[in-house]
Amino acid sequence: MTRLAPYEAVGEGFRLIRREPRAFFVWTAIWFGTFSLAAWTVATSRRVAPAGPTPANLGGVSERFGPYAGVLIILFWVVWLATAVAAFRAVLRPADRRWFYLRLSPDELRLGGLTLGAFFASIPFGVAPAYLVLLLATPFMHALPTATDVIVWIGACATVGLDIWLGVRLSLIAVETFSERRFHLTAYWPVTRGRFWYLLAVYFLFFLVFLGLTVIFAPLLGLASSVGEGPSAGLAARGGLLVQAGVLTALISVFWTLSSTVFYACQAYAFREIVGQGRAGVPPA
């Protein structure tokens, strides 16, 4: 039996970029335009805070983007749908390369409906694992009050482990929907049966790749943002700030497109290998 190799799945994104560099360039350009529009909206909004974006103020979307917040959310959502499905299509249907694999077709609509359904379903079901663990741990905490801290720590670890297990088992829903061209509800859970450790290794390796990309791009972003700091006035200074903003947006666009392409391509590759082994009659490992 041919064993599934996690590193092959993670490498699929880089092989895709090497095979389709023009498509990757177009995807990056689309994200550059989207991020640029968002930055322009922030810069021209009267309600924008004078401080730059920080984890403390990123939550005030409506305050930062004003009346355009809803439009920008929809725009980001549509661009994400188009580029994510494009990566799926490039791996699973490589011959269908017209328009650089970009569409606004039923495939994108299905993924859009799926993400909306998953978002609303996560509200009641997202707390279910934590509630279940708490329900099981309560009798132990009453019986052993002196060990409450230890029980809470064990419960927290169990909750995280259960969330990871559920997340991995359901992680191929999007690519399965794209591949089947339908909402194949009865196949979402079985397709990953016996493949948990393989998929967990794939996502762990992707995390390492993402961490490496962050280490590479973070100094570049810091260097670009530091250019032109200090008091500025006049047309030349404003032009320099525009160039600085353009460089920052371009770097963010490349980082985002590269990391997301690697992620969605590795999911598509893993799904293709899992389904291919299953159809060949090979039992899961």
Side-chain angles (χ1 to χ4, degrees):
M1 179 180 64
T2 303
R3 296 189 61 85
L4 299 173
Y7 63 88
E8 289 288 346
V10 178
E12 179 65 14
F14 296 102
R15 292 192 294 270
L16 168 60
I17 295 171
R18 184 176 59 187
R19 188 183 78 236
E20 302 287 350
R22 289 186 296 177
F24 178 76
F25 175 80
V26 171
W27 302 346
T28 305
I30 292 173
W31 274 114
F32 175 77
T34 304
F35 284 126
S36 297
L37 181 60
W40 177 84
T41 304
V42 171
T44 56
S45 175
R46 293 184 178 181
R47 289 184 291 177
V48 64
T54 64
N57 60 26
L58 281 176
V61 176
S62 61
E63 295 182 0
R64 298 190 65 81
F65 295 102
Y68 305 106
V71 176
L72 286 175
I73 289 174
I74 294 175
L75 176 62
F76 271 91
W77 186 50
V78 171
V79 172
W80 170 76
L81 286 175
T83 52
V85 174
F88 289 160
R89 187 175 287 116
V91 175
L92 299 178
R93 306 173 195 165
D96 191 10
R97 58 167 48 90
R98 66 182 187 280
W99 299 105
F100 305 103
Y101 299 101
L102 294 166
R103 309 281 191 281
L104 284 177
S105 67
D107 289 328
E108 285 74 16
L109 293 178
R110 276 189 292 269
L111 182 57
L114 185 67
T115 54
L116 287 178
F119 172 77
F120 288 111
S122 66
I123 297 174
F125 291 105
V127 297
Y131 177 76
L132 177 62
V133 172
L134 177 63
L135 190 66
L136 295 174
T138 299
F140 293 97
M141 288 190 290
H142 286 304
L144 302 169
T146 57
T148 299
D149 292 340
V150 176
I151 295 173
V152 170
W153 182 83
I154 294 174
C157 292
T159 301
V160 172
L162 185 58
D163 286 335
I164 291 175
W165 179 70
L166 288 173
V168 171
R169 285 297 308 271
L170 297 173
S171 62
L172 299 183
I173 287 180
V175 65
E176 167 96 15
T177 301
F178 167 79
S179 177
E180 297 289 335
R181 289 188 167 102
R182 58 172 172 159
F183 296 109
H184 199 180
L185 299 179
T186 59
Y188 292 146
W189 188 258
V191 74
T192 57
R193 183 181 295 123
R195 308 298 188 185
F196 171 79
W197 294 110
Y198 164 68
L199 289 172
L200 185 64
V202 168
Y203 296 136
F204 177 72
L205 290 179
F206 168 76
F207 171 75
L208 295 181
V209 170
F210 180 81
L211 188 62
L213 292 176
T214 303
V215 171
I216 293 172
F217 277 87
L220 297 176
L221 290 169
L223 180 62
S225 62
S226 66
V227 175
E229 286 185 346
S232 59
L235 184 61
R238 293 181 181 179
L241 290 176
L242 288 175
V243 172
Q244 178 192 41
V247 172
L248 281 170
T249 305
L251 288 173
I252 292 172
S253 302
V254 173
F255 171 77
W256 175 261
T257 310
L258 179 57
S259 57
S260 60
T261 298
V262 172
F263 178 73
Y264 294 120
C266 84
Q267 278 195 319
Y269 181 92
F271 171 79
R272 185 182 66 193
E273 295 300 297
I274 290 172
V275 173
Q277 285 202 356
R279 287 176 179 172
V282 180

